[in-house]
Structure formats: C-alpha cells, structure tokens
Amino acid sequence: MRQAEFDGKGSCIRWTETPGEEPARVYVHGLGAVSAVYHAHIAARPELAGRRSLFVDLPGHGVSDRPEHFGYTLEDHADALAAALDAARLTGVELIAHSMGGSVALVLAHRRPELVSRLVLTEANLDAAPPATAGSTWIDAYDEDDFVAGGHARVLEKAGSLWAATMRLADPRALHRSAAGLRRGSAPMMRAVLEGLPIDRVYLQGELSGELEGRKTLEAAGVRVVTVPGAGHNVMFDHPDAFAAVVAGRL
C-alpha cells in the first residue's frame, strides 16, 4: 500500500498497486465503494496481465483518510487523485472508473490532461441532480448532521448487502459531502467534459439500467458507448468477461 498527502494538513489518499508495464491502469471506485473490491478481479484476468495497476480509494473511503475539514467535492476528489498519480510518478494513465469515480475521472482529465490518456467509464454520472433512484439522492435527502446521526445507518439498510459492505467503511460525513458534490456536478459539467476530451473514451452502460441519455450526441463526439447485455449498474460484477474485454480494448 502506498500513500500521498492531499490536503496540506497531513491527510493521505492511499492505494494498492501491482507492478507491470506502463501506461498504468488506475481503477477508481464509486460513491461508498472501495477500488480493489470492485476491480481487482478484473485487473487479475489474463487479458489484462502485465500492466501496472493501481487501486485508489478516494478520500473518506476505504483505507484513505477522512478529514472532517475536507470538502469532498468532485474537484476535491480529483485533486486528491492527482496527488496520488503525482506521487506514483505517472502520466498518461488509463482511468477505469465507476459511477461517481467516473465523474471524478472526468474532472481530473479536464484539470490535469497530462495525467490521462484514456477513459473507461462505467455508468459515470454525467449530469447534476441524479434521479430519485440514485444512491446519492438517498444520501443527500438528509442534511449532513442528520445523516451522520442516523441517516447513514438507515441508508445502509436500504442499500442492499453488496453496496452496504463497502459503504459502511466510508466516513458518514465524507459520504454525505461526496453525494452532495456529485449532485451539484462540476463546472464545466461532466457531460460537456466527456464530449470535448481529445482522448480515447469508452462509456459502459448496463442493459438493465435503461437507455443512456444523450447517447447519440456522445457518439457523435467520438465516445464509444457499449451496452452490456444482462448487466446493471455494477457491470464489472454482472458481466466481468465483457468488462475486461472493454478495458483491454477488445470490445
């Protein structure tokens, strides 16, 4: 496990990594998740072997620190992720990012374009104010103190065992601020960033999640949209073969 300070006050973002050739693949989790849990089984597959791989936990999540003073906006998370990549002496990485992590990846690619050569986004949030069914909406329905006092436990009961297994490891205050930041979005908005980036961009959508809004516009901008049959929000669990093929550039 490695770490890098991200807030100027000693707080550290942490990651585990496997050695290999570059460009490195950097895996970034979603809201209330952990990178290795969602992606280590993908990086270990034979078609992805031999590449340096980093599994980064965003601030407030997993093994990373969770300072109370930190804002946990998309920009804050992106800057922390940049600190990790700088400490690892990496540029031009492939970012494989899920849900909120995809939003963070887009902000990072906009703010520090030299760090990113390719994006593989899985059901990334592209717009502000996600629908009522989104987990961030459940969390942001509480004010921050109410969520810390009891809302976190109630959302864990609603979330289901898979998501709850990692969400319970996230700091409640950090989780709430991350959800609120995700619902605010970024400036420019994540969708506009994705459409304008001059790099290889792939967007994975689970078939069970329904049609991707604005798909034709994304494809016209050069984004490859891949709908994975039989998969929902967690494509890497629902259809690991297809997920790995996309990461490897074979689908």
Side-chain angles (χ1 to χ4, degrees):
M1 183 170 64
R2 298 185 62 187
Q3 64 184 30
E5 184 178 337
F6 65 84
D7 65 349
K9 298 182 179 181
S11 303
C12 289
I13 184 170
R14 296 187 176 89
W15 67 95
T16 55
E17 69 172 86
T18 60
E21 296 180 358
E22 297 183 9
R25 294 190 178 110
V26 178
Y27 295 86
V28 187
H29 62 81
L31 181 67
V34 174
S35 280
V37 172
Y38 276 71
H39 294 115
H41 67 293
I42 298 295
R45 292 175 63 100
E47 62 265 45
L48 298 176
R51 291 280 287 276
R52 186 179 179 188
S53 299
L54 285 72
F55 307 93
V56 183
D57 287 344
L58 296 171
H61 294 72
V63 296
S64 290
D65 287 339
R66 49 214 54 211
E68 187 172 349
H69 65 269
F70 196 63
Y72 299 96
T73 64
L74 292 175
E75 291 80 6
D76 290 334
H77 281 304
D79 289 346
L81 181 55
L85 299 185
D86 287 342
R89 298 183 178 181
L90 288 172
T91 58
V93 305
E94 296 184 9
L95 280 178
I96 297 92
H98 181 225
S99 198
M100 183 189 79
S103 305
V104 173
L106 286 166
V107 174
L108 175 66
H110 175 70
R111 292 163 77 91
R112 295 285 305 277
E114 77 281 5
L115 295 179
V116 184
S117 64
R118 182 178 185 236
L119 286 172
V120 178
L121 307 176
T122 305
E123 298 223 347
N125 301 82
L126 300 181
D127 306 298
T133 54
S136 59
T137 304
W138 304 349
I139 295 169
D140 198 38
Y142 297 88
D143 69 31
E144 184 175 309
D145 289 336
D146 287 343
F147 183 75
V148 172
H152 184 215
R154 289 190 286 274
V155 170
L156 284 175
E157 294 176 357
K158 183 178 180 181
S161 60
L162 182 67
W163 193 22
T166 56
M167 192 198 298
R168 67 190 178 194
L169 304 177
D171 178 78
R173 198 170 299 279
L175 188 61
H176 187 275
R177 292 181 187 174
S178 296
L182 181 59
R183 288 181 55 76
R184 284 194 298 272
S186 63
M189 195 57 66
M190 297 86 75
R191 183 179 295 273
V193 172
L194 178 58
E195 292 173 355
L197 286 171
I199 59 176
D200 183 31
R201 296 149 293 157
V202 186
Y203 190 102
L204 279 78
Q205 177 81 355
E207 178 189 31
L208 303 181
S209 298
E211 184 61 30
L212 174 63
E213 181 179 351
R215 175 172 185 153
K216 291 183 178 180
T217 303
L218 290 174
E219 290 177 330
V223 180
R224 287 185 291 137
V225 179
V226 178
T227 299
V228 181
H233 187 61
N234 298 321
V235 179
M236 68 291 295
F237 293 147
D238 297 338
H239 204 322
D241 290 344
F243 190 92
V246 170
V247 174
R250 298 178 180 175
L251 186 66

